[in-house]
Amino acid sequence: RFRILVMGRANAGKTTVLQRVCKTTDQPEIFDGNGEKVCHLVKLHGAHIKLMQRGYHNIEDELVFKSNPRFVFHDSCGFEAGSEAEFDEMKKFVTDQAKSTKLEKRIHAIWYCIPLNERHRMVTAAERKFFNECDSGHVPVIVLLTKADTLYLDAFQKVRRRGLTTDDAKTKVPEVERQLQKGCLEKIKGWLNELMFPPQSYLMLTGMEQESADCAELLRCTANALTEEGLRGLLISSQQSNLGLCMEFAIMK
């Protein structure tokens, strides 16, 4: 199975991206390292009821969607809040997994989500700390710029300030929106590329709120960042919805 560590602050759209990759709207099932579902006990009317855990989970836990169990995801939670202990736990996990000699236990890629709906803090201390201190070795780190569609309103307001009517403004908005997205990408690249362990790739994600969103470019970007041909083949075979992508990499091989 192809194993991915997903990182980023809360509300960065991480779960939505994973759902689109696995073609589902369901929440993932959570398993511990022994393959057991992660549950907790609550007391209701004097009796203990076993419920599935929601919300917080350990970085060691595996998130798996029933729609495509060939992908295993790990979620790095909480370290953006500034906890040294949580950062050290995440760093140890990345280092240990990257060095693992067992292919099935290694993380094969890292997706670091940065949302563009918070343009005043696109790169925070958490991102700087990670890319300055966390060496992922041969595991590629890809920065995913999520919630890029939220720049539409900024683009619309910018166009309206030119004195155009609403209808005329709407025709100009897409180009201005692309300019804003490009500007955000260049700023983030400028900041992160100067750090000790910069990401291998950057990708702008749009339309992720739509259930029919196409993740071919995300999978293609991830495959191209992999240095081992076997892992590239594992990723392409793990995704089940894009025959064109399978053909493309078969021809390349």
Side-chain angles (χ1 to χ4, degrees), residues 79-80 87 112 121 123-131:
F79 82 85
E80 70 265 18
F87 181 84
Y112 200 118
R121 62 180 205 118
V123 172
T124 66
E127 281 81 37
R128 291 190 176 92
K129 187 175 180 65
F130 175 80
F131 290 106

Side-chain angles (χ1 to χ4, degrees), residues 15-74:
T15 302
T16 300
V17 172
L18 305 189
Q19 288 173 325
R20 298 301 170 261
V21 168
C22 293
K23 298 292 182 181
T24 185
T25 57
D26 295 336
Q27 293 296 312
E29 293 183 313
I30 304 173
F31 300 88
D32 64 18
N34 296 318
E36 299 291 331
K37 280 189 179 180
V38 177
C39 304
H40 70 283
L41 294 175
V42 296
K43 199 168 186 178
L44 186 64
H45 304 306
H48 283 95
I49 309 295
K50 200 172 187 181
L51 297 177
M52 285 301 301
Q53 178 177 334
R54 297 183 66 84
Y56 174 78
H57 45 263
N58 192 298
I59 191 172
E60 300 274 353
D61 291 341
E62 299 178 346
L63 281 63
V64 180
F65 291 90
K66 284 184 177 179
S67 60
N68 191 348
R70 296 182 185 181
F71 280 110
V72 178
F73 301 103
H74 294 268

Side-chain angles (χ1 to χ4, degrees), residues 82-174:
S83 166
E84 283 294 326
E86 287 173 340
F87 181 84
D88 290 341
E89 179 187 355
M90 177 277 302
K91 184 176 178 181
K92 183 179 186 303
F93 176 80
V94 170
T95 303
D96 290 349
Q97 293 286 323
K99 292 180 179 178
S100 175
T101 55
K102 294 185 177 180
L103 182 64
E104 68 274 12
K105 291 296 183 182
R106 275 165 40 191
I107 50 173
H108 305 128
I110 298 174
W111 291 344
Y112 200 118
C113 297
I114 297 180
L116 296 187
N117 62 327
E118 301 178 3
R119 292 176 62 197
H120 62 288
R121 62 180 205 118
M122 290 186 292
V123 172
T124 66
E127 281 81 37
R128 291 190 176 92
K129 187 175 180 65
F130 175 80
F131 290 106
N132 249 338
E133 300 182 23
C134 197
D135 182 5
S136 64
H138 59 271
V139 179
V141 181
I142 301 164
V143 165
L144 307 182
L145 304 184
T146 60
K147 302 194 174 183
D149 308 84
T150 58
L151 297 179
Y152 179 90
L153 183 58
D154 292 343
F156 182 76
Q157 292 173 340
K158 187 174 182 178
V159 172
R160 284 286 280 154
R161 285 194 290 268
R162 299 176 185 173
L164 299 177
T165 65
T166 299
D167 288 340
D168 289 340
K170 286 181 178 178
T171 64
K172 303 289 186 182
V173 166

Side-chain angles (χ1 to χ4, degrees), residues 171-210:
T171 64
K172 303 289 186 182
V173 166
E175 178 57 34
V176 175
E177 184 182 21
R178 283 192 291 272
Q179 292 173 1
L180 290 177
Q181 291 173 351
K182 183 179 178 181
C184 290
L185 175 60
E186 293 306 316
K187 283 182 181 178
I188 292 171
K189 275 186 176 181
W191 291 326
L192 298 185
N193 284 348
E194 293 181 351
L195 302 181
M196 187 69 70
F197 304 107
Q200 272 84 343
S201 303
Y202 298 82
L203 184 65
M204 185 79 63
L205 294 181
T206 58
M208 288 294 111
E209 293 304 317
Q210 302 172 17

